[in-house]
Amino acid sequence: MSESSVELVLVTGVSGAGRSTAARALEDQGWFVVDNLPPVLLPDAVQHISQADHIHRLAVVVDVRSGYMFDDLAHALDQVMRDGFEVRVVYLEASDNVLVRRFESSRRPHPLQQGGGILDGLTRERELLGDLRARADLVIDTSNLNVHDLRRKIDAAFGSDEDVPLRATVMSFGFKYGIPVDADLVFDVRFLPNPFWIPELRELTGQDAAVSDYVTEMPEARTYLDQMSALLDLASDGYLREGKRYVTIGVGCTGGKHRSVAMAENLAVRLVKVGVEPLVVHRDLGRE
């Protein structure tokens, strides 16, 4: 087995979650992209394409359109790694409600509906993809992302800019709506006093200066921000050593409106100072 100089990424995930957008983003970065490759052909295709002198970054998109052949994917991936290729798996996810709306708006059936409903197809697909999701290096939940947000995430994870060694999405959220499924690190800020109980702050959000000042003027909030930033600074070298250039940080409060938003905005500012490029996303802002 010989080491390969070809960078290899496998893009997969549930239908409607944005595989095509991710593939186009990689292609725009100069990756050679192969879409809907039958898994059984993966080892031979990778071996053949890697011999081309001008191809150094290869992305392969695999999904359930390959039908029964999808069962061969785990064996194909193992063979590719035995052949000396390091594979990173990107898995695109979204909630059932969001995926149903996307399919209904496009007026296209789910590839595994088989005469049933869209949810039936999604259930079958998640069963097929379970093992692959478990071995994914990067999971991106696109439920609350538009096309441009997803492209920015792909750019952050696989861009060639060497000036910024580690990139991060800082995502505020409300625990009442669930923890982000793609979060690498989750910080709970519910221990801080809630601006919701201050009448003049209740209708504002963490993006408003009055709420942000109320939250961050507390010594424990500033200490927590310092420690979150220090943890990312400490972990960044290890992430990069393991080939991880992108991290998602969840910052949660009860409803995702006040404390988590203010803390996420302030954390992003501090991450810039330790050399991490942040993208701030407020997942649940506006849901209340």
Side-chain angles (χ1 to χ4, degrees), residues 11 18-27 33 90 92 150-151 154:
V11 180
R19 287 189 310 261
S20 297
T21 298
R24 286 194 295 270
L26 289 169
E27 198 165 39
V33 177
V90 178
L92 299 174
L150 176 54
R151 289 185 67 95
I154 295 297

Side-chain angles (χ1 to χ4, degrees), residues 189-197 214-215 218 220 258-259:
V189 298
R190 290 175 294 182
F191 69 93
L192 298 172
N194 193 346
F196 177 84
W197 302 113
Y214 175 84
V215 172
M218 303 169 194
E220 59 265 44
H258 296 111
R259 293 166 291 181

Side-chain angles (χ1 to χ4, degrees), residues 132-244:
L132 190 57
R133 189 189 189 286
R135 67 189 294 176
D137 299 282
L138 174 62
V139 177
I140 301 177
D141 184 356
T142 68
S143 300
N144 297 284
L145 302 181
N146 60 36
V147 172
H148 306 294
D149 292 334
L150 176 54
R151 289 185 67 95
R152 280 194 290 269
K153 283 207 169 193
I154 295 297
D155 289 343
F158 299 104
S160 58
D161 184 0
E162 300 299 333
D163 295 331
V164 183
L166 183 67
R167 292 171 172 139
T169 287
V170 183
M171 179 183 295
S172 72
F173 70 94
F175 277 95
K176 64 190 289 185
Y177 302 114
I179 296 174
V181 298
D182 54 346
D184 298 291
L185 298 169
V186 175
F187 296 101
D188 185 351
V189 298
R190 290 175 294 182
F191 69 93
L192 298 172
N194 193 346
F196 177 84
W197 302 113
I198 309 298
E200 59 268 29
L201 301 180
R202 179 172 300 175
E203 300 305 319
L204 302 178
T205 76
Q207 291 180 309
D208 292 302
V211 174
S212 181
D213 292 344
Y214 175 84
V215 172
T216 58
E217 71 182 5
M218 303 169 194
E220 59 265 44
R222 293 194 297 272
T223 300
Y224 201 51
L225 284 167
D226 289 340
Q227 292 182 351
M228 285 193 285
S229 177
L231 178 61
L232 263 295
D233 190 27
L234 174 67
S236 61
D237 287 343
Y239 280 137
L240 294 170
R241 186 169 57 249
E242 296 299 316
K244 186 178 181 67

Side-chain angles (χ1 to χ4, degrees), residues 79-100:
Q79 182 60 54
V80 167
M81 288 187 286
R82 285 195 296 269
D83 290 340
F85 295 90
E86 183 177 343
V87 185
R88 285 184 288 171
V89 178
V90 178
Y91 186 96
L92 299 174
E93 175 68 279
S95 69
D96 284 348
N97 289 340
V98 169
L99 292 170
V100 168

Side-chain angles (χ1 to χ4, degrees), residues 25 28 44 54 83 117 123 128 148 173 206 225 243 268 282:
D28 289 345
D44 289 339
H54 65 289
D83 290 340
T123 299
L128 279 174
H148 306 294
F173 70 94
L225 284 167
H282 299 303

Side-chain angles (χ1 to χ4, degrees), residues 31-95:
W31 289 69
F32 186 87
V33 177
V34 180
D35 192 10
N36 197 25
L37 182 73
V40 70
L41 300 180
L42 181 63
D44 289 339
V46 170
Q47 283 281 13
H48 180 74
I49 294 172
S50 68
Q51 295 173 12
D53 293 336
H54 65 289
I55 297 176
H56 304 288
R57 309 176 91 190
L58 171 62
V60 179
V61 183
V62 178
D63 57 61
V64 294
R65 287 177 293 173
S66 56
Y68 70 92
M69 293 182 290
F70 192 82
D71 295 335
D72 299 322
L73 182 55
H75 300 296
L77 273 177
D78 291 339
Q79 182 60 54
V80 167
M81 288 187 286
R82 285 195 296 269
D83 290 340
F85 295 90
E86 183 177 343
V87 185
R88 285 184 288 171
V89 178
V90 178
Y91 186 96
L92 299 174
E93 175 68 279
S95 69

